[in-house]
Amino acid sequence: MTLFLLMIVAHVLGDFYLQKNQWVACRNTHHYASWGLCKHVLSHLVLLVIAVWLAGDLSAKAWIAIVLIGFSHLLIDIWKSYQADKLIYFLLDQLFHVLIIALAAWVLSGADIEQIKNQLLTLLTVKYLAIGCAYVIACRPVSIAISIALDQYTVQLKDKQTGLASAGRWIGYLERCLIISFVLIGQFAGVGFLLAAKTIFRFGDLTKEKDMKLTEYMMLGTLLSFSCALILGWWVNRL
């Protein structure tokens, strides 16, 4: 685990702190023929060597793993250079990097399949499955349910909807996940703070008499969202 965490730190430093914007622009323009990409991969290799050295395992097998990680990093970044600048490709890019690092760390640690299987099985307990279900349900399913529940009121406010597209949905996802987290760690004051903060940001709408429909709609949606998240958090705690 120490080796894996050191390698992840090396990856984060190389990808997000040492990589210059010029290197990224060069990579996206010249792709596999980019000097910026070469510099980026070389900096990653140096950081990986330091990480493995700190873990105390600069064996021949470790050097092979470092080279393979660097080569895979090169291939993944070349693929990324041909993709649009969207969140999905950023997440896939990072997922591929982390999976390669995890595989290398596993091989270098000498753990066998049975040990990995036992560690994975510890994540399949009722506790962790319930937590995972709560977060998954709190996002898209609850969002759709609230949208259906408020559909008859949404029609009345079509001329007042001037906010960012999809922003409300993402705000709902984040607030429900935060509420569940607060409930799981027993910090109910955080739920009150979140509700107060949202009310403050909407204070302008709440004080306009002509926007009474919008105010009621917003409050109804907020209370539904908070109620669903609190119920999910309570359900996980009961399990």
Side-chain angles (χ1 to χ4, degrees):
M1 182 59 73
T2 300
L3 176 60
F4 173 69
L5 292 176
L6 284 170
M7 294 170 79
I8 288 295
V9 170
H11 169 72
V12 172
L13 290 175
D15 247 23
F16 300 102
Y17 290 92
L18 298 184
Q19 183 172 207
K20 299 179 180 179
N21 291 333
Q22 299 94 309
W23 296 359
V24 177
C26 182
R27 181 199 69 188
N28 292 337
T29 302
H30 301 288
H31 307 292
Y32 57 86
S34 164
W35 278 109
L37 179 58
C38 292
K39 295 175 183 177
H40 173 57
V41 173
L42 285 174
S43 67
H44 256 287
L45 288 173
V46 172
L47 289 170
L48 278 172
V49 171
I50 295 173
V52 176
W53 173 71
L54 289 174
D57 185 24
L58 268 179
S59 60
K61 186 166 66 172
W63 281 106
I64 295 173
I66 290 170
V67 172
L68 291 177
I69 292 174
F71 183 66
S72 69
H73 197 105
L74 176 66
L75 294 179
I76 293 170
D77 278 16
I78 290 174
W79 167 82
K80 177 68 162 48
S81 69
Y82 288 97
Q83 310 306 319
D85 190 17
K86 294 183 178 179
L87 178 62
I88 181 64
Y89 296 118
F90 169 79
L91 294 177
L92 285 174
D93 170 67
Q94 295 303 313
L95 177 62
F96 294 151
H97 289 316
V98 172
L99 287 177
I100 295 295
I101 291 173
L103 179 61
W106 169 55
V107 172
L108 292 177
S109 68
D112 56 27
I113 298 296
E114 192 63 30
Q115 289 175 317
I116 299 297
K117 180 181 177 181
N118 290 335
Q119 291 179 5
L120 291 176
L121 286 176
T122 60
L123 299 177
L124 297 179
T125 59
V126 172
K127 174 184 176 180
Y128 294 112
L129 288 174
I131 292 173
C133 285
Y135 283 110
V136 171
I137 294 171
C139 292
R140 188 66 176 168
V142 171
S143 179
I144 293 174
I146 292 176
S147 177
I148 295 173
L150 298 179
D151 185 62
Q152 57 180 320
Y153 307 112
T154 305
V155 177
Q156 304 177 37
L157 295 170
K158 282 188 175 181
D159 58 329
K160 296 180 181 292
Q161 294 178 358
T162 57
L164 297 173
S166 302
R169 183 173 71 248
W170 282 102
I171 291 172
Y173 290 176
L174 290 172
E175 74 180 21
R176 287 190 291 276
C177 287
L178 284 172
I179 291 170
I180 291 174
S181 300
F182 288 142
V183 172
L184 293 181
I185 63 177
Q187 294 295 327
F188 293 98
V191 179
F193 173 80
L194 190 62
L195 180 59
K198 188 170 184 180
T199 303
I200 290 172
F201 283 120
R202 281 289 195 172
F203 184 76
D205 296 329
L206 293 171
T207 55
K208 294 179 181 178
E209 185 178 353
K210 63 178 181 180
D211 287 335
M212 183 61 70
K213 288 184 179 179
L214 178 62
T215 299
E216 293 175 345
Y217 177 84
M218 184 271 293
M219 290 301 298
L220 184 57
T222 296
L223 291 175
L224 282 173
S225 179
F226 274 58
S227 298
C228 291
L230 287 170
I231 291 171
L232 284 170
W234 172 81
W235 170 69
V236 173
N237 276 338
R238 291 286 295 174
L239 289 177

